[in-house]
Amino acid sequence: MHKRPKRRAFRITVLGATGVALVAGVATLASAAPSYFTDPAPKPTVVLVNGAWSDSASWGGVIKRLQGDGYPVTAPPTALRSLSGDSAYLASYLKTIKGPIVLVGQSYGGSVITNAATGNTNVKALVYISAFAPDTGESAQDLTAKFPGTQITDDPSAPVPTALSPVPFTAPDGSVAVDLYAKADQYRDLFLSNQLSSTTAAELAAEQSPITSQALKDASGAPAWKSIPSWFLVSNDDHLIPPATERFMATRAHAHTVVADTPHAAQVTNPGTVTGIIEQAARATR
């Protein structure tokens, strides 16, 4: 009567030892063949670059989705002072990031990433969201006027586009420069194609970051899209950059192209669509 408990205890001891052996075996197998248990490669860091008349907060919906899918994300501010200065700052920022990078630009931010990524071997993909992708010597102003369709002005001969308000200021070197703000009563149509409420549009107009007139005229340097694979969202309902211009730039860059009925600020109105394109580019880097 007293032997059975001993036999049960023995069996339990044996099973316990077996369990430990199994756990140890799995751990050994995991360390010997990590591809079966871990992601084969780390996810790239996604760097989001805003354009004119917005700010880093415009990426909020995209950031939330990317982080939810496990991507490291950062959205450094764009000064919107000059293409050379904005690009040099971003190029320096990118050097602080270890590992592969997916670099995303919206609007004027596309010009910035085009220049900042040149020569950086960590940048594995460029993503243009309703953005400029200039070639050497081209400016945002040049590309906006390349094809008809922009609503940034109703008078091509006007010194300042009619949808914008100029604000002169004194630059650090003492010269007079001009900041350009989008007019509040035209913001909803120009950037959002009336796809969001007037209340939301008014909030975004109040929070906008202006760009200098010079930055829009600055000529691009050697474009990174000639050596780095690119993805492009052509926004068919863009009222700022003509969709024909976006298609032209995407084709020229041999970009993986998605065409959608999105407005200029597609990252605000359609963050799911934008996130999908970014993640498509990210998967191609791994």
Side-chain angles (χ1 to χ4, degrees), residues 41-250:
K43 290 183 176 180
T45 298
V46 179
V47 179
L48 305 169
V49 181
N50 65 279
W53 308 296
S54 65
D55 58 23
S56 297
S58 66
W59 294 107
V62 175
I63 291 171
K64 181 179 180 179
R65 287 166 172 79
L66 288 171
Q67 290 180 336
D69 290 337
Y71 286 91
V73 188
T74 183
T78 310
L80 307 172
R81 301 294 84 189
S82 70
L83 180 55
S84 60
D86 295 336
S87 300
Y89 177 84
L90 179 61
S92 296
Y93 183 89
L94 294 175
K95 291 177 183 177
T96 68
I97 299 174
K98 295 181 180 180
I101 298 169
V102 173
L103 189 55
V104 186
Q106 192 270 332
S107 190
Y108 167 80
S111 296
V112 178
I113 71 171
T114 294
N115 288 266
T118 301
N120 189 325
T121 56
N122 277 354
V123 179
K124 304 301 183 182
L126 300 170
V127 182
Y128 294 89
I129 304 299
S130 316
F132 295 106
D135 202 345
T136 304
E138 291 179 337
S139 69
Q141 180 174 277
D142 296 334
L143 289 166
T144 302
K146 189 172 184 65
F147 294 96
T150 183
Q151 296 182 29
I152 199 169
T153 188
D154 55 19
D155 181 3
S157 63
V160 175
T162 56
L164 306 177
S165 295
V167 177
F169 68 95
T170 302
D173 62 1
S175 62
V176 177
V178 177
D179 260 341
L180 299 174
Y181 286 81
K183 293 179 179 177
D185 62 349
Q186 298 188 48
Y187 196 97
R188 182 170 179 247
D189 177 66
L190 188 62
F191 297 99
L192 306 170
S193 302
N194 299 312
Q195 293 191 24
L196 293 183
S197 70
S198 56
T199 300
T200 299
E203 292 173 357
L204 294 173
E207 297 166 355
Q208 67 176 286
S209 296
I211 189 169
T212 65
S213 58
Q214 187 58 48
L216 297 176
K217 299 174 184 176
D218 285 344
S220 178
W225 50 257
K226 286 191 175 181
S227 58
I228 301 174
S230 60
W231 280 254
F232 209 112
L233 171 62
V234 172
S235 291
N236 265 346
D237 201 20
D238 196 326
H239 291 179
L240 196 153
I241 303 177
T245 298
E246 293 178 14
R247 286 192 290 272
F248 164 77
M249 293 184 291

Side-chain angles (χ1 to χ4, degrees), residues 245-263:
T245 298
E246 293 178 14
R247 286 192 290 272
F248 164 77
M249 293 184 291
T251 300
R252 180 175 65 181
H254 303 290
H256 305 270
T257 303
V258 174
V259 180
D261 290 329
T262 44

